[in-house]
Amino acid sequence: VSPTSRNLLGTQLIPSHLTPLRKDGFCVGLVEERALTDGALHGCRVLLIEAATCMSRETAAAVAGFIQDGGRLIASADTGLYDEIGRPRPASVLWSELGLSGAPFEPTQCGKGQVLAGAVLGVREDVAGWLEPARVKLEPSAEAAVLPYLDANGQLVVYVCAEKALPEGIKVTAPGGLSGRAVICSPDWQQPRIVGLASE
């Protein structure tokens, strides 16, 4: 998220892709742009940038480093077209840091990673698989928002929150078979239920 872009250019702060992806079972977290230079992308597989038209060179370098080391990026084409105080640039600092002449509208290799410019929602079929390893599986299948957290001990906690009644005995499997626990909230239950994450 980019408070700078919101404050200077009036872009939305919370990306529009966040809620739909969580409702589809993806473990998606928010990272503020200032945290990118402090190693906030450690453990991240795919970075989604939707509304960061303003971007500092330091932030762009941190994102480029993440990609060069094997990360993947889906970003709006206009990412980084303004500097951190709202001045327009002749070209995006992000694509320049990645050694690209402009926004790549086809999946493009950069170092060990890949990048694509375009909308996060309705992402192209050929890169949809980039997000699949971050999907939480619910069995039996059910509509619910998924919110992953790490507790104070570094253990994974997955909150599963539904607007409609969830099936009894629902199992929650985290991406990659990670261990931890799930806190399941269904509107027809008086209390949330805490269960261990199922193994794949």
Side-chain angles (χ1 to χ4, degrees):
V1 296
S2 175
T4 304
S5 298
R6 187 267 317 269
N7 294 342
L8 295 176
L9 301 178
T11 60
Q12 61 192 42
L13 183 62
I14 304 301
S16 64
H17 63 257
L18 181 70
T19 297
L21 287 176
R22 284 183 168 171
K23 284 188 175 179
D24 282 343
F26 290 102
C27 286
V28 183
L30 291 174
V31 179
E32 189 179 333
E33 63 182 319
R34 290 179 295 185
L36 295 178
T37 56
D38 296 329
L41 295 178
H42 178 71
C44 178
R45 294 182 184 186
V46 182
L47 178 61
L48 311 172
I49 303 177
E50 181 180 326
T53 313
C54 294
M55 183 176 280
S56 70
R57 189 163 298 282
E58 293 76 20
T59 298
V63 172
F66 165 73
I67 305 305
Q68 299 289 345
D69 290 341
R72 288 172 164 167
L73 170 71
I74 302 171
S76 298
D78 62 358
T79 300
L81 277 177
Y82 293 79
D83 69 13
E84 61 273 24
I85 59 172
R87 296 176 298 195
R89 291 185 167 112
S92 161
V93 68
L94 176 61
W95 308 128
S96 296
E97 280 289 328
L98 287 165
L100 301 171
S101 59
F105 294 103
E106 296 291 329
T108 301
Q109 194 77 29
C110 289
K112 296 178 185 175
Q114 291 178 290
V115 299
L116 175 68
V120 173
L121 291 179
V123 70
R124 297 160 42 129
E125 192 173 322
D126 56 352
V127 298
W130 291 7
L131 302 177
E132 200 56 37
R135 188 189 292 269
V136 169
K137 295 180 182 130
L138 302 178
E139 295 176 10
S141 180
E143 284 187 34
V146 173
L147 297 101
Y149 290 94
L150 292 178
D151 66 15
N153 298 317
Q155 296 296 307
L156 179 64
V157 180
V158 177
Y159 287 85
V160 178
C161 305
E163 295 177 4
K164 298 178 182 176
L166 290 172
E168 287 292 331
I170 192 165
K171 293 180 181 176
V172 181
T173 305
L178 293 173
S179 62
R181 62 193 186 280
V183 179
I184 306 174
C185 305
S186 182
D188 57 327
W189 301 346
Q190 290 188 349
Q191 298 290 328
R193 298 179 186 174
I194 301 175
V195 300
L197 294 173
S199 57
E200 291 186 294

